[in-house]
C-alpha cells in the first residue's frame, strides 16, 4: 500500500502538483488573513484606549470616541469589500522608471488624495523570477507602520500588472539631491546618515534585511526628512521571500584599458563620469553593485550587517562626490568591492574629517568587525554623530529644506516621457502569452491590501497639499 502511494505521488503530473500547491496557498492565505484582520482590529482598539488614557479623557468623552471608532471599523469592513482598481485613480505624471515598471503620480478620484502608484509588469516578474522579491516588498509595506518607511495604502492587480499605492513624497530621492550637489557638508551628511541609521534599524527590528540600501531608495518627505523605500530585494524570515539574486555579477570582466582609464581620473572627473552613467544604471536591469556588501556577492550567507556596509558607501559618496568603488562597468565595480582592502581609499584633494573617515571605515570593513554587530546603539554613539538628538531629529528642520508649491509638485523628480504600460494589449508581453499569465497568476494570490487609515481618513489631505494645483 505504501509503495502504491509513493508510486502515485511520483507519477503526479507537474500540472497536478501546481494545482495542489495553488489550493494549499489559497487556503493558507484565507485563514491567515482572517487571523491577521482580527489581530489588527484588536491592536487598533488597544491603541485607542491607550491614547484616551494618556489624554485623560472623561468617561463620556471616551464613550463618544469609542463610538466614532466603531463606526470607522464598520466603514472599513464595508470599504474593504469594494473592489479597488485602476479606474479609481487618475494618472497625472510619470515620476520614476525602472527595469520592471514605473512610478506615477496619481489622484484618487473620490477623495482627491494624491499618491505614488508603483506599477510592475507581471510578465517581467515571472520571467526574471522576481515573484519572491515583490512578495517581500508588499509584505513589509503592510507590516511596517513607521515614520521611517514609506507608507503603502493599497495594493491590487489586474491581468497584466501589479499596483502599489503609496504616499507621495514630494522631496524626491537622495540620488537626485546628490546629482544636484557636488558634495554635501559634514553637517548635512551627519543629518541624513543619522536619519538613515534610524530608518534601517526600524526595518531590522521587524526581522527584515533591506539588501538594497542606496541613494535611490532614500526618499525625502515634504519637510526633507528621510524615508526608506523600494523593498523589492528585501529578505525576511518567510519562505516566499527567499530567492537567489546576485548570480552573474562576476562574469565577463572588463578589459584592462577600461580599468586604467577610470583609475587615472582625478576626483572631479570621476564624479562627472559617475553622474553621467548613474542615471542610466538606475533605470537598467543591471543596476549598480556599488552599494552591495562583499559578503552578499559571496553567496555564503550574510545578515543585517550588509545594510550598514551600504550606508558607509553612501556616506563616502555624500562627502567625496562619488562612491568608493565606482567604475565604468558593473563588473569592474564588483571586482573593486571584492578587493575593498586595496580599493577603498580617500582622495587627498577632497579632505574630510578623521571622524568621518573613521566611521566610513567602521561601516566598510570585515563583517565580523563591522560597526552595528552588537546593536544600533554603538552606531548612534559614534563620535561622528556627536550632538545628534535622535529622539527629536524628525522634528527639527532638515539639513536641506524642501519647497513644495502645490498638491502635485514634482519639481524634485526627473522628467520622464509617458508610456503605454497602462494600455491593454493583445500582443504577447515578453515570452509569456496571455494564457501563460493566466495559468501562473495564482503566484500573485493575496496581493490585494487596503490600509485602515487610507479608507477611513477621507478628507485628511496633508497641509502641504492644500495650496491647489499648479
Amino acid at each position: 500500500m505504501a509503495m502504491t502511494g509513493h508510486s502515485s505521488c511520483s507519477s503526479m503530473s507537474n500540472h497536478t502538483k501546481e494545482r495542489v500547491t495553488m489550493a494549499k496557498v489559497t487556503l493558507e492565505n484565507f485563514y491567515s488573513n482572517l487571523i491577521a484582520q482580527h489581530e489588527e482590529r484588536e491592536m487598533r482598539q488597544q491603541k485607542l484606549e491607550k491614547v484616551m488614557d494618556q489624554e485623560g479623557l472623561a468617561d463620556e468623552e471616551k464613550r463618544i470616541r469609542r463610538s466614532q471608532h466603531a463606526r470607522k471599523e464598520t466603514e472599513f469592513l464595508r470599504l474593504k469589500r469594494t473592489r479597488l482598481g485602476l479606474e479609481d485613480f487618475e494618472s497625472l505624471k510619470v515620476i520614476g522608471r525602472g527595469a520592471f515598471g514605473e512610478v506615477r503620480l496619481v489622484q484618487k478620484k473620490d477623495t482627491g488624495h494624491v499618491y505614488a502608484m508603483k506599477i510592475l509588469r507581471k510578465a517581467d516578474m515571472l520571467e526574471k523570477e522576481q515573484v519572491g522579491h515583490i512578495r517581500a516588498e508588499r509584505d513589509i509595506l503592510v507590516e511596517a507602520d513607521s515614520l521611517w518607511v514609506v507608507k503603502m495604502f493599497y495594493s491590487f492587480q489586474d491581468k497584466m500588472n501589479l499596483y502599489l499605492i503609496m504616499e507621495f513624497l514630494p522631496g524626491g530621492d537622495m540620488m537626485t539631491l546628490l546629482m544636484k550637489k557636488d558634495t554635501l557638508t559634514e553637517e548635512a551628511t551627519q543629518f541624513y546618515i543619522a536619519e538613515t541609521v534610524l530608518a534601517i534599524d526600524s526595518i531590522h527590528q521587524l526581522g527584515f534585511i533591506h539588501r538594497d540600501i542606496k541613494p535611490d531608495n532614500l526618499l525625502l518627505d515634504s519637510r526633507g526628512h528621510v524615508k526608506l523605500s523600494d523593498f523589492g530585494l528585501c529578505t525576511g524570515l518567510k519562505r516566499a521571500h527567499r530567492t537567489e539574486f546576485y548570480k552573474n555579477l562576476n562574469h565577463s570582466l572588463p578589459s584592462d584599458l577600461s580599468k586604467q582609464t577610470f583609475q587615472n581620473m582625478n576626483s572631479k572627473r570621476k564624479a562627472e563620469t559617475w553622474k553621467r552613467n548613474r542615471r542610466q544604471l538606475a533605470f537598467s536591469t543591471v543596476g549598480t553593485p556599488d552599494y552591495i556588501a562583499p559578503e552578499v556577492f559571496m553567496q555564503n550567507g550574510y545578515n543585517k550587517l550588509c545594510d550598514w556596509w551600504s550606508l558607509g558607501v553612501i556616506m563616502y559618496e555624500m562627502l567625496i562626490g562619488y562612491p568608493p568603488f565606482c567604475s565604468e562597468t558593473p563588473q569592474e565595480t564588483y571586482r573593486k568591492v571584492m578587493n575593498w582592502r586595496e580599493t577603498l581609499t580617500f582622495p587627498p584633494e577632497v579632505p574630510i574629517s578623521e571622524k568621518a573617515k573613521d566611521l566610513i571605515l567602521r561601516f566598510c570593513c570585515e563583517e565580523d568587525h563591522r560597526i552595528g554587530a552588537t546593536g544600533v546603539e554603538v552606531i548612534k554613539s559614534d563620535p561622528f554623530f556627536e550632538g545628534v538628538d535622535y529622539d527629536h531629529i524628525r522634528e527639527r528642520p532638515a539639513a536641506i529644506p524642501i519647497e513644495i508649491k502645490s498638491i502635485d509638485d514634482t519639481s524634485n523628480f526627473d522628467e520622464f516621457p509617458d508610456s503605454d504600460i497602462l494600455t491593454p494589449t493583445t500582443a504577447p508581453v515578453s515570452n509569456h502569452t496571455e494564457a501563460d499569465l493566466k495559468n501562473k497568476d495564482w503566484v500573485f494570490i493575496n496581493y490585494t491590501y487596503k490600509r485602515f487609515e487610507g479608507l477611513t481618513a477621507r478628507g485628511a489631505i496633508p497641509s502641504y497639499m492644500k495650496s491647489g494645483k499648479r
Side-chain angles (χ1 to χ4, degrees):
M1 191 73 182
M3 289 296 290
T4 305
H6 177 74
S7 173
S8 62
C9 181
S10 60
S11 62
M12 190 185 294
S13 69
N14 287 335
H15 174 74
T16 303
K17 288 178 182 176
E18 191 167 278
R19 300 296 292 182
V20 169
T21 304
M22 177 181 172
K24 181 184 174 187
V25 170
T26 303
L27 286 169
E28 285 179 352
N29 278 297
F30 176 77
Y31 287 107
S32 66
N33 280 343
L34 284 180
I35 295 168
Q37 287 171 23
H38 174 74
E39 289 175 346
E40 287 167 7
R41 186 165 182 153
E42 288 290 313
M43 284 177 63
R44 288 194 291 269
Q45 186 66 43
Q46 290 170 14
K47 188 175 180 180
L48 173 67
E49 296 295 333
K50 185 178 178 180
V51 169
M52 290 193 299
D53 287 342
Q54 288 173 346
E55 293 178 0
L57 298 183
D59 289 344
E60 179 60 19
E61 290 174 318
K62 285 184 177 182
R63 187 191 64 77
I64 294 170
R65 190 80 69 88
R66 288 189 189 106
S67 177
Q68 291 171 341
H69 180 78
R71 281 198 297 273
K72 276 192 171 186
E73 288 285 4
T74 302
E75 181 190 13
F76 182 56
L77 285 174
R78 180 178 61 80
L79 291 170
K80 277 195 79 169
R81 296 188 191 105
T82 62
R83 188 177 182 86
L84 196 66
L86 203 54
E87 64 278 2
D88 295 298
F89 299 89
E90 180 187 353
S91 177
L92 302 179
K93 187 177 182 180
V94 178
I95 57 174
R97 185 160 287 143
F100 306 111
E102 64 186 31
V103 180
R104 289 181 176 234
L105 182 69
V106 298
Q107 190 165 30
K108 198 161 185 287
K109 292 176 181 177
D110 62 344
T111 63
H113 288 191
V114 170
Y115 300 99
M117 174 190 279
K118 186 173 184 177
I119 308 162
L120 297 164
R121 292 181 291 265
K122 284 184 177 180
D124 289 345
M125 296 292 103
L126 290 166
E127 183 164 334
K128 304 295 183 182
E129 298 181 348
Q130 298 291 303
V131 174
H133 297 148
I134 189 60
R135 171 62 62 183
E137 177 170 39
R138 181 258 184 214
D139 286 354
I140 194 170
L141 287 171
V142 167
E143 194 171 336
D145 187 13
S146 166
L147 290 171
W148 299 108
V149 174
V150 61
K151 190 181 288 290
M152 182 181 75
F153 290 98
Y154 318 107
S155 61
F156 55 91
Q157 59 180 298
D158 57 26
K159 283 197 301 185
M160 304 306 294
N161 300 317
L162 302 172
Y163 303 90
L164 297 169
I165 308 298
M166 297 179 288
E167 63 178 319
F168 171 53
L169 299 178
D173 60 40
M174 186 59 65
M175 184 190 87
T176 304
L177 182 65
L178 292 176
M179 296 284 280
K180 290 177 182 176
K181 310 280 184 180
D182 288 329
T183 56
L184 299 186
T185 64
E186 293 213 2
E187 184 182 12
T189 300
Q190 182 200 60
F191 171 81
Y192 290 119
I193 296 297
E195 288 212 329
T196 309
V197 165
L198 297 177
I200 292 173
D201 182 54
S202 72
I203 293 300
H204 289 173
Q205 287 184 31
L206 290 174
F208 287 91
I209 308 168
H210 192 286
R211 295 201 304 175
D212 199 22
I213 299 293
K214 57 185 179 182
D216 320 51
N217 296 336
L218 303 182
L219 301 188
L220 302 173
D221 67 14
S222 60
R223 295 177 56 245
H225 291 271
V226 168
K227 286 202 177 193
L228 269 182
S229 76
D230 206 338
F231 297 90
L233 293 185
C234 194
T235 183
L237 305 176
K238 300 181 181 179
R239 283 180 299 171
H241 302 163
R242 293 178 195 164
T243 51
E244 289 185 28
F245 180 68
Y246 307 99
K247 288 181 178 176
N248 301 310
L249 285 165
N250 58 342
H251 290 181
S252 59
L253 290 175
S255 68
D256 290 337
L257 179 62
S258 65
K259 295 181 197 175
Q260 196 63 32
T261 303
F262 204 87
Q263 285 172 358
N264 288 345
M265 291 181 186
N266 61 26
S267 293
K268 186 177 180 182
R269 288 204 48 212
K270 275 189 180 179
E272 289 169 354
T273 305
W274 168 249
K275 287 182 179 181
R276 190 169 62 248
N277 297 334
R278 185 63 169 84
R279 298 224 182 258
Q280 188 177 352
L281 283 169
F283 310 138
S284 73
T285 53
V286 177
T288 170
D290 278 88
Y291 307 94
I292 300 170
E295 65 266 21
V296 176
F297 289 126
M298 295 287 285
Q299 295 284 304
N300 293 329
Y302 52 88
N303 55 34
K304 64 185 180 182
L305 294 177
C306 68
D307 288 340
W308 299 128
W309 169 286
S310 304
L311 188 57
V313 175
I314 295 172
M315 182 176 169
Y316 182 107
E317 182 177 357
M318 287 177 173
L319 294 170
I320 305 298
Y322 53 88
F325 311 111
C326 66
S327 303
E328 291 188 339
T329 67
Q331 293 82 11
E332 174 60 12
T333 299
Y334 163 83
R335 189 193 68 81
K336 284 187 175 181
V337 171
M338 298 309 293
N339 294 287
W340 60 269
R341 290 173 182 83
E342 289 77 39
T343 56
L344 179 53
T345 58
F346 295 88
E349 64 268 28
V350 188
I352 63 174
S353 71
E354 288 301 315
K355 286 181 181 179
K357 192 180 296 185
D358 180 67
L359 180 55
I360 290 169
L361 293 174
R362 295 182 77 189
F363 279 132
C364 299
C365 65
E366 296 93 343
E367 190 179 3
D368 294 344
H369 301 122
R370 195 171 302 157
I371 190 171
T374 58
V376 72
E377 292 304 321
V378 181
I379 300 175
K380 291 163 68 174
S381 60
D382 186 87
F384 180 75
F385 296 120
E386 185 179 357
V388 172
D389 181 1
Y390 290 100
D391 293 334
H392 303 96
I393 193 168
R394 272 200 98 87
E395 298 161 22
R396 62 165 277 193
I400 300 174
I402 301 292
E403 185 182 354
I404 306 299
K405 300 183 181 70
S406 64
I407 187 173
D408 58 352
D409 186 354
T410 58
S411 59
N412 293 304
F413 292 82
D414 290 333
E415 291 292 325
F416 294 91
D418 209 347
S419 73
D420 59 357
I421 193 171
L422 298 179
T423 306
T425 176
T426 55
V429 181
S430 186
N431 293 328
H432 291 267
T433 64
E434 192 169 337
D436 290 335
L437 288 174
K438 190 174 181 181
N439 290 335
K440 292 285 186 183
D441 209 46
W442 67 270
V443 302
F444 301 109
I445 197 167
N446 197 37
Y447 193 78
T448 301
Y449 172 75
K450 298 184 179 80
R451 187 176 289 274
F452 180 77
E453 298 94 326
L455 291 180
T456 56
R458 302 184 66 77
I461 296 178
S463 58
Y464 69 84
M465 290 185 174
K466 292 178 180 175
S467 54
K469 289 190 176 185
R470 284 175 295 175

